Amino acid sequence: MAGRTTTAERGAGGPRRPGRDAGPPPAARRPRPGRPDDRRRRRLVLALALGPALVLGGFALWVLYGSSWLRVESVTVVGERVLTERQVLRVAAVPVGDPLVSVDPEAVERRLLAALPRIDTVEVARDWPHGIEVRVVERRPVVVMEKDTHDREGRGYVEVDDDGVRFGTVAERPRGVPLLVVDLSDSPSRHRFGEERMRREAVKVASALPDGVRRDTRTVRVRSYDSITLELSGGRTVVWGSSERSTAKAESLTLLTKAADGAKRFDVSVPSAPAASGS
């Protein structure tokens, strides 16, 4: 009949009945906010978990900084030879009685190196539960130089190590350490290289000497870059030349002194062709 809708038309385009609409899919629905009881429960669990950690952390801080259990009671010095324990302790200035953890080993090392040039290397370490250990290695002289005659402290010797560092003074010349004499008065090397460079060249030679030769060496004399000589005990002389190839020259000198026993003059300036003369 005209003007009436069919059942099919109502099903296709007609209004839906209330309550029949399925709504958005489950994934698109917003979650319900948690209940107050759930939030309180979560906070309680978190507090129970963090509480022991905070207590333990606070106790650890008290043990390290506040208690008397881990405090500095002794400072030990190891390795000193010329320096005295009292000198090292005074410069180290480790506060006895302070918490051990508060001592800065690197700061102590810097103080020692800055104030005591005789120290070559130093290591400071905590020795739990109550100690600090200071381990020093002192520089060793390979040559000595006479002090400046104008030095107000009087006569003596300046010690020089194998790096050319002048690190200390002594009243008496150490046994087995040669005297370094730099005489560049008539040499062009004075202006070309300077006395300091010539001292370093001589130190290279002294550092390369075998122990037996070093003990017998009385003087290392420098007249120019290419004229370094050794004055040994018994009036013997070694013409060394420059500091170049010092290791090879030292080996040649060792063999030459054994082969030419009784010789007075040795020339190793050309190490592949050493020579000995005199008797």
Side-chain angles (χ1 to χ4, degrees):
M1 295 177 59
R4 297 180 64 181
T5 58
T6 65
T7 303
E9 290 173 338
R10 287 197 303 268
R16 296 179 179 269
R17 296 179 182 177
R20 299 293 299 273
D21 187 8
R29 293 177 179 175
R30 299 176 61 184
R32 295 181 180 179
R35 292 180 299 177
D37 290 344
D38 294 337
R39 290 196 295 270
R40 283 194 294 269
R41 188 178 297 110
R42 286 196 294 269
R43 286 198 293 266
L44 179 60
V45 171
L46 181 61
L48 291 175
L50 292 178
L54 293 174
V55 171
L56 288 175
F59 178 73
L61 289 174
W62 176 79
V63 168
L64 291 173
Y65 290 96
S67 75
S68 60
W69 298 342
L70 301 176
R71 292 184 176 268
V72 179
E73 294 182 2
S74 64
V75 183
T76 305
V77 180
V78 179
E80 76 278 15
R81 294 187 308 108
V82 178
L83 293 170
T84 65
E85 182 182 47
R86 179 175 296 181
Q87 286 175 300
V88 176
L89 291 177
R90 183 175 64 250
V91 175
V94 176
V96 175
D98 280 13
L100 189 62
V101 72
S102 69
V103 177
D104 184 351
E106 293 183 358
V108 178
E109 292 169 2
R110 288 193 296 268
R111 287 198 295 271
L112 289 167
L113 292 173
L116 299 174
R118 184 174 291 277
I119 295 179
D120 187 15
T121 61
V122 59
E123 181 180 358
V124 177
R126 300 184 185 95
D127 186 14
W128 299 95
H130 300 297
I132 293 290
E133 182 179 82
V134 181
R135 188 174 295 274
V136 301
V137 176
E138 294 187 16
R139 299 180 188 273
R140 293 179 179 269
V142 295
V143 296
V144 294
M145 301 185 303
E146 287 187 341
K147 291 175 62 177
D148 193 324
T149 55
H150 301 293
D151 195 318
R152 290 179 297 177
E153 296 181 1
R155 300 192 60 178
Y157 297 90
V158 178
E159 297 174 295
V160 184
D161 73 355
D162 55 0
D163 290 324
V165 176
R166 286 174 278 188
F167 61 89
T169 59
V170 290
E172 301 292 334
R173 178 174 163 183
R175 184 184 299 273
V177 180
L179 175 67
L180 171 59
V181 176
V182 180
D183 182 11
L184 304 176
S185 55
D186 299 325
S187 173
S189 295
R190 171 187 288 275
H191 303 290
R192 183 178 179 184
F193 300 107
E195 288 194 12
E196 187 61 34
R197 168 71 182 278
M198 289 297 93
R199 290 191 189 100
R200 292 198 299 269
E201 296 301 315
V203 166
K204 291 180 184 177
V205 173
S207 300
L209 295 177
D211 291 340
V213 175
R214 184 182 294 110
R215 286 193 295 268
D216 287 342
T217 302
R218 298 294 178 261
T219 305
V220 179
R221 191 175 300 274
V222 183
R223 291 189 175 89
S224 72
Y225 183 85
D226 295 317
S227 179
I228 298 175
T229 59
L230 310 180
E231 298 172 6
L232 309 183
S233 60
R236 296 171 295 164
T237 302
V238 179
V239 177
W240 197 272
S242 72
S243 66
E244 297 174 5
R245 302 185 65 191
S246 283
T247 300
K249 292 176 181 180
E251 294 173 354
S252 294
L253 179 60
T254 300
L255 297 174
L256 192 61
T257 52
K258 293 179 179 179
D261 187 23
K264 292 293 187 179
R265 179 181 172 86
F266 306 91
D267 189 335
V268 293
S269 56
V270 181
S272 59
S277 60
S279 59

